[in-house]
C-alpha cells in the first residue's frame, strides 16, 4: 500500500487511581480514560508519525489529602482517528467502530481511586493492545479487474489525479475523489486496487481491497468491453465472464456486498468491434441464465447483480462520462430518498405504538 496505512496496532492504558486517605476516610481520584474520537482530515499515517511509539496512557488520579478528601480524576487522553475505523482486540474481535465525526469509543477505562473498599489502595487502569482497522467510507466504490480503466475514469469524473498506465496493477493504494455538480452537490468516489480471481481467498490485494468495498453506499463496476486477461498464463475472460467473476468474488467475501445498489460502466468503447461486443453483452445481461451453461460452475455466482443503469463509456474520448455522472447522481439521490422514507416510517410506527 506504499504510504497508505489502513491498519495500526496501538497500546492503550487507563490511568491508575489516586491513593486514599485512611485517617479521614478520603477517596483517591479515579484514573483518566483513553478515548478514540473520530475526526475528519485525520489519517492512520498521521497518527503513526505523531505518536511513533503508538502508546496512549491516561493521567493518574489525584491522591486524597486533608485539603481535598475526594481526589480529582486523572486527565483523559483523546486520540483523534479517521472516520470509518473499526476497533479490534488482539483476537480480531470487533469491539467498536467510529463512522461519523465526533463519535467516541472508550478504549481503556481508568482505575478506581483508593477507598475503604480497597483498603485505600488505588486500582490500576485497564490496559490492552488494539488494532485500528480502516475501511474507507465513500458514496461509490469502483470495482473492476486490473487495467479496466478505473483510475482513468476517476480522473475524468473528479479532481483526483491517480497514477494511470497501461499495465495491470497501476492502483496499489485506494484513491478518493469527489464529483462536483453545478448545485454544489458532492459525491465521493473510491478507486480501489484491482481485484483478481481468488481475491476472496486473499490472493493479490484480496482482503485489503474487499474490506474497503464494505462501507461504500453503491458499487460501480468498470468492465473492459474487449475482455480481460491478467497475463499470458491466465485464461482470457469476456466482458460477460468478467462481470460474473467480479460478482462471485464479492459474494464469496461477504454476501451483503451483492445486495448493494450497483451500476455498470462498460469502458473502452473507442476500440474496434466495441459496438458488436456491446450488443452481444447486452443480450447476455438481459437473459444471463441462458448463457450460464457456457461457464464453469465455480465461476457462477449464486445471485447475479442487478444493475440500475448500464452506461457505455470511453475514458479516452470522453464518451458517456457526463451521462455516467448524471446516473450516479440520480442513483445516490434515490437511495437517500428511500432511506429517508424508511426512517420516517419507523418514526411513525414508534409514535403509533407509544400511543
Amino acid at each position: 500500500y506504499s504510504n497508505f496505512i489502513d491498519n495500526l496496532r496501538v497500546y492503550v492504558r487507563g490511568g491508575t487511581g489516586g491513593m486514599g486517605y485512611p485517617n479521614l476516610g478520603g477517596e483517591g481520584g479515579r484514573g483518566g480514560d483513553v478515548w478514540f474520537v473520530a475526526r475528519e482530515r485525520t489519517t492512520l499515517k498521521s497518527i503513526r508519525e505523531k505518536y511513533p511509539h503508538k502508546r496512549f496512557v491516561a493521567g493518574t488520579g489525584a491522591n486524597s489529602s486533608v485539603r481535598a478528601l475526594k481526589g480529582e480524576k486523572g486527565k483523559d487522553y483523546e486520540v483523534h482517528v479517521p472516520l470509518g475505523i473499526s476497533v479490534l482486540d488482539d483476537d480480531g474481535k470487533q469491539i467498536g467502530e467510529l463512522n461519523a465525526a465526533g463519535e467516541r469509543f472508550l478504549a481503556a477505562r481508568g482505575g478506581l481511586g483508593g477507598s475503604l473498599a480497597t483498603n485505600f489502595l488505588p486500582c490500576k487502569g485497564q490496559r490492552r493492545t488494539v488494532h485500528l482497522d480502516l475501511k474507507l467510507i465513500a458514496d461509490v466504490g469502483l470495482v473492476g479487474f486490473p487495467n479496466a480503466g478505473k483510475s482513468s475514469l476517476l480522473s475524468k469524473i473528479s479532481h483526483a489525479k491517480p497514477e494511470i498506465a497501461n499495465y495491470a496493477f497501476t492502483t496499489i493504494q485506494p484513491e478518493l475523489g469527489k464529483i462536483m455538480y453545478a448545485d454544489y452537490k458532492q459525491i465521493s468516489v473510491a478507486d480501489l486496487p484491482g481485484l483478481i480471481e481468488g481475491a476472496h481467498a486473499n490472493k493479490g490485494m484480496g482482503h485489503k481491497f474487499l474490506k474497503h468495498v464494505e462501507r461504500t453506499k453503491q458499487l460501480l463496476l468498470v468492465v473492459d468491453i474487449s475482455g480481460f486477461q491478467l497475463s499470458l498464463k491466465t485464461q482470457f475472460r469476456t466482458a460477460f465472464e468478467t462481470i460474473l467473476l467480479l460478482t462471485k468474488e464479492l459474494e464469496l467475501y461477504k454476501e451483503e456486498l451483492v445486495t448493494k445498489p450497483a451500476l455498470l460502466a462498460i469502458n473502452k468503447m473507442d476500440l474496434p468491434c466495441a459496438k458488436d461486443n456491446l450488443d452481444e453483452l447486452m443480450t447476455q445481461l438481459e437473459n444471463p441464465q441462458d448463457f450460464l451453461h457456457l461457464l464453469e460452475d465455480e465461476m457462477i455466482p449464486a445471485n447475479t447483480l442487478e444493475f440500475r443503469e448500464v452506461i457505455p463509456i470511453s475514458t479516452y474520448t470522453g464518451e458517456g462520462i457526463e451521462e455516467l455522472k448524471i446516473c450516479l447522481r440520480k442513483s445516490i439521490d434515490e437511495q437517500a430518498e428511500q432511506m429517508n422514507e424508511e426512517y420516517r416510517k419507523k418514526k411513525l410506527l414508534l409514535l403509533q405504538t407509544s400511543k
Side-chain angles (χ1 to χ4, degrees), residues 1 4 6-7 132-136 192 206-216 253 257:
Y1 271 121
F4 180 80
D6 58 4
N7 190 282
L132 301 177
D133 191 43
L134 176 67
K135 295 175 184 175
L136 290 178
L192 305 159
H207 293 175
K208 281 184 176 290
F209 162 82
L210 286 163
K211 73 172 187 178
H212 291 300
V213 183
E214 288 184 51
R215 287 190 180 163
T216 56
Y253 177 72
L257 295 182

Side-chain angles (χ1 to χ4, degrees), residues 329-345:
R329 170 69 183 270
K330 180 185 173 187
S331 185
I332 289 290
D333 287 348
E334 285 176 355
Q335 186 183 16
E337 182 56 38
Q338 185 181 348
M339 290 174 68
N340 288 337
E341 185 61 33
E342 287 174 2
Y343 177 75
R344 285 194 290 267
K345 285 179 180 177

Side-chain angles (χ1 to χ4, degrees), residues 107-349:
R109 190 182 295 278
L112 294 174
S115 64
L116 183 62
T118 63
N119 201 23
F120 299 100
L121 295 174
C123 299
K124 291 183 178 179
Q126 184 183 15
R127 60 183 70 192
R128 58 183 171 181
T129 302
V130 296
H131 296 260
L132 301 177
D133 191 43
L134 176 67
K135 295 175 184 175
L136 290 178
I137 297 175
D139 295 315
V140 179
L142 301 183
V143 178
F145 283 137
N147 218 19
K150 300 187 304 299
S151 298
S152 300
L153 178 59
L154 185 68
S155 68
K156 287 283 186 183
I157 62 178
S158 75
H159 297 291
K161 293 181 173 57
E163 184 182 348
I164 298 167
N166 62 352
Y167 54 86
F169 287 102
T170 307
T171 305
I172 55 171
Q173 65 184 51
E175 292 275 356
L176 273 174
K178 284 189 183 276
I179 307 176
M180 311 287 285
Y181 292 91
D183 61 353
Y184 303 106
K185 166 81 173 180
Q186 296 182 20
I187 290 177
S188 57
V189 182
D191 171 25
L192 305 159
L195 280 171
I196 62 169
E197 289 183 50
H200 70 278
N202 215 13
K203 287 185 181 179
M205 294 276 174
H207 293 175
K208 281 184 176 290
F209 162 82
L210 286 163
K211 73 172 187 178
H212 291 300
V213 183
E214 288 184 51
R215 287 190 180 163
T216 56
K217 294 177 184 175
Q218 300 196 5
L219 305 178
L220 174 60
L221 269 67
V222 184
V223 173
D224 186 336
I225 187 59
S226 59
F228 168 71
Q229 187 173 18
L230 183 63
S231 69
L232 294 174
K233 296 179 181 178
T234 58
Q235 191 172 342
F236 173 80
R237 302 297 189 187
T238 65
F240 180 63
E241 290 173 339
T242 301
I243 293 167
L244 292 179
L245 277 170
L246 288 170
T247 307
K248 185 72 173 178
E249 291 299 332
L250 293 172
E251 183 181 77
L252 287 172
Y253 177 72
K254 191 166 282 190
E255 286 185 24
E256 298 86 67
L257 295 182
V258 186
T259 64
K260 287 179 180 285
L263 291 87
L264 174 63
I266 301 169
N267 193 20
K268 305 188 182 181
M269 288 302 297
D270 53 283
L271 295 177
C273 301
K275 299 288 189 226
D276 294 336
N277 290 340
L278 179 62
D279 292 339
E280 182 183 354
L281 176 60
M282 293 306 291
T283 303
Q284 292 168 327
L285 288 175
E286 284 172 11
N287 299 290
Q289 300 301 326
D290 296 344
F291 300 91
L292 295 181
H293 67 278
L294 302 172
L295 309 172
E296 303 99 321
D297 289 342
E298 59 270 18
M299 283 179 58
I300 302 171
N303 299 292
T304 53
L305 277 170
E306 293 186 10
F307 299 108
R308 293 189 170 192
E309 299 282 352
V310 178
I311 309 103
I313 64 167
S314 168
T315 55
Y316 180 72
T317 64
E319 175 192 342
I321 297 298
E322 286 305 314
E323 183 188 350
L324 176 61
K325 288 166 72 172
I326 292 167
C327 289
L328 284 172
R329 170 69 183 270
K330 180 185 173 187
S331 185
I332 289 290
D333 287 348
E334 285 176 355
Q335 186 183 16
E337 182 56 38
Q338 185 181 348
M339 290 174 68
N340 288 337
E341 185 61 33
E342 287 174 2
Y343 177 75
R344 285 194 290 267
K345 285 179 180 177
K346 283 181 182 178
K347 293 294 273 184
L348 185 61
L349 186 63

